[in-house]
Amino acid sequence: MEKRIAVLPGDGIGKEVTNGAVAVLNAIGERFNHQFHFSYGKIGGNAVDTDGTPLPDETIKLCKESDAVLLGAVGGPKWDRIEVKLRPEQGLLKIRKELELYANLRPTNYYRSLADSSPLRKEIIEGIDILMVRELTGGIYFGTPRERTQRDGEDGALDTLYYSRREIERVVRTAFELASTRNKKVTSVDKANVLESSRLWREVAEEIAKEFPEVKLEHMLVDNAAMQIIKNPKQFDVVVTENMFGDILSDEASVLTGSLGMQPSASISESGPYLYEPIHGSAPDIEGQNLANPIGAILSAAMMIRVSFGLTKEADAIEAAVNHVLDCGYRTADIAGAGTDVKKVSTTEMIEEIKAAILDTEALLKIQNCYS
Ligand code: NAD
């Protein structure tokens, strides 16, 4: 198989972790005989510095001409005080709009060897397998009008929360399609006791559910969902929700298994290309120190080859290699904990261990048997 991948490292540790994902994809190419062609583009603060915009047109063109996009992270204190339209995060919002990435998928899985890094007790998180599906291009982050305004002679500000029936339908249908390949349960999260947009959301979810009789639909108010994720996360399979609720709940879910640095994500559109990125930010506090955990980016590459390229056994190989390396005790600083039998490694050493597990045929076979 031959595929073109646009790589947008972005700022801070973005470059260090995307280097890891590219190295692992090259190992997969070598091991399974595929050719991945990587082209690099700018996004975020570094693009502001060189091109005067957080998302240059040539980056948009590169992404649209590629089969998939791999992104690192954007932002940093250097750009915190510049005018809003030049902020690195605007590059992220714009690429989502340009590629029409209407849903963000974030898995949260249990890693046996990292159980002690979770803020929750082992018996609460053991075996969790949650897929959070967040609507990404609508809702209050994009609604207009959005402005500073005045009412009754008083200063105020206005944001708009709007969803069309079509926007809700496509993301809820995606959630049901995914649930039908998993544990066949969708939890639709809303605030239907207060918000009109949530009442429409609930109505549409009920309609879509009729297309998937084998999948159970449950509605949950967002405040209760925030509590249930901590209290009993094992009850969830696929969770679907609107943009702002999903932003908050998916970060909450991501810490169940320990570090932010472990979590991948995929953002999908109706026609592709899809965008894959670790969920963490640019981590300016550890930038350039070879300390970043590259696993979130590496698992994002696994999601890419599974979802966009249909390379199931290759994606399984990456995930098994990651599990194996963790089980062998290799840890970057963020997941090292206080254990005595851990082998503390740098970003580049962690990447080398994962690559080695993929390239060593015998080891890979053993690992795959062990984790399949
Ligand atoms: P962050 O995710 O960058 O960092 C939070 C904490 O987690 C830090 O202590 C950091 O060192 C640690 N961390 C994050 N990723 C790690 C990894 N892979 N390995 C080890 N440790 C890791 O969030 P923040 O500090 O709130 O934001 C920093 C910058 O990143 C800001 O400019 C913010 O706007 C931006 N940001 C970007 C994205 C994105 O690009 N998608 C997401 C969130 C934040």
Side-chain angles (χ1 to χ4, degrees):
M1 181 179 282
E2 206 166 334
K3 293 287 178 192
R4 288 160 305 162
I5 300 171
V7 184
L8 316 182
D11 306 314
I13 61 167
K15 185 166 179 225
E16 298 163 61
V17 300
T18 48
N19 278 348
V22 167
V24 164
L25 285 173
N26 278 328
I28 287 289
E30 194 178 318
R31 173 78 180 78
F32 293 90
N33 206 16
H34 302 298
Q35 280 186 298
F36 301 122
H37 303 286
F38 300 98
S39 306
Y40 286 78
K42 291 185 211 163
I43 189 170
N46 67 88
V48 172
D49 289 350
T50 56
D51 296 53
T53 165
L55 186 67
D57 288 344
E58 61 197 64
T59 301
I60 299 171
K61 184 166 179 285
L62 169 71
C63 293
K64 288 186 175 171
E65 288 170 356
S66 300
D67 297 304
V69 180
L70 175 71
L71 179 85
V74 301
K78 183 177 174 195
W79 305 283
D80 276 351
R81 285 190 174 71
I82 59 175
E83 62 177 301
V84 171
K85 72 177 192 330
L86 288 183
R87 297 246 173 99
E89 296 73 17
Q90 294 301 318
L92 270 188
L93 294 180
K94 193 166 172 205
I95 193 78
R96 288 175 187 163
K97 266 285 176 211
E98 286 288 339
L99 298 180
E100 296 177 58
L101 302 170
Y102 70 86
N104 179 249
L105 318 183
R106 278 194 191 183
T108 297
N109 295 312
Y110 174 67
Y111 293 93
R112 189 178 48 190
S113 49
L114 294 185
D116 293 336
S117 317
S118 172
L120 299 185
R121 288 198 310 277
K122 188 175 165 190
E123 59 269 27
I124 294 179
I125 56 158
E126 205 163 24
I128 58 168
D129 180 7
I130 306 174
L131 181 59
M132 188 80 73
V133 180
R134 165 188 168 193
E135 202 288 328
L136 205 58
T137 48
I140 203 161
Y141 293 173
F142 290 96
T144 52
R146 180 184 350 180
E147 60 199 15
R148 290 294 174 99
T149 183
Q150 286 204 328
R151 277 189 193 166
D152 305 326
E154 239 196 299
D155 269 354
L158 171 74
D159 293 292
T160 302
L161 169 50
Y162 173 81
Y163 269 108
S164 69
R165 179 174 286 274
R166 183 179 163 271
E167 284 175 313
I168 302 171
E169 272 171 6
R170 65 180 176 182
V171 70
V172 172
R173 187 171 284 111
T174 297
F176 272 91
E177 283 165 358
L178 291 162
S180 65
T181 65
R182 295 167 43 99
N183 292 321
K184 304 192 171 28
K185 180 176 171 192
V186 169
T187 305
S188 173
V189 174
D190 61 37
K191 189 72 184 169
N193 52 346
V194 178
L195 298 175
E196 204 48 54
S197 57
S198 280
R199 284 192 274 274
L200 176 63
W201 185 283
R202 206 172 261 222
E203 198 178 295
V204 172
E206 296 279 351
E207 283 162 22
I208 301 288
K210 292 184 191 137
E211 298 170 24
F212 300 86
E214 77 284 12
V215 178
K216 180 171 180 271
L217 169 65
E218 137 189 297
H219 301 288
M220 195 176 277
L221 294 175
V222 62
D223 32 0
N224 185 27
M227 196 165 66
Q228 294 299 331
I229 287 172
I230 300 296
K231 224 173 134 192
N232 178 16
K234 282 186 222 172
Q235 70 184 285
F236 296 108
D237 176 22
V238 175
V239 178
V240 63
T241 191
E242 63 97 50
N243 204 344
M244 184 166 68
F245 296 161
D247 190 5
I248 298 165
L249 293 182
S250 56
D251 265 24
E252 186 191 4
S254 71
V255 296
L256 295 179
T257 50
S259 170
L260 215 56
M262 295 288 299
Q263 308 287 330
S265 82
S267 297
I268 65 170
S269 63
E270 287 178 68
S271 53
Y274 297 173
L275 182 145
Y276 299 83
E277 59 181 322
I279 71 160
H280 59 75
S282 59
D285 52 333
I286 55 168
E287 175 186 357
Q289 298 171 45
N290 209 11
L291 284 174
N293 185 343
I295 292 179
I298 289 170
L299 292 175
S300 300
M303 278 185 97
M304 173 192 290
I305 61 174
R306 184 188 300 285
V307 178
S308 285
F309 308 159
L311 297 175
T312 307
K313 70 174 185 307
E314 291 83 344
D316 287 348
I318 298 179
E319 287 162 4
V322 166
N323 263 308
H324 173 70
V325 165
L326 291 173
D327 278 356
C328 290
Y330 294 102
R331 301 279 190 275
T332 43
D334 56 314
I335 50 174
T340 46
D341 50 355
V342 303
K343 300 167 196 143
K344 219 165 151 187
V345 290
S346 64
T347 310
T348 42
E349 284 164 340
M350 178 61 97
I351 295 166
E352 285 311 311
E353 289 301 332
I354 295 170
K355 257 176 64 184
I358 289 169
L359 286 174
D360 179 340
T361 308
E362 295 232 332
L364 186 62
L365 281 175
K366 262 194 240 151
I367 296 166
Q368 282 185 312
N369 284 338
C370 178
Y371 294 103
S372 59

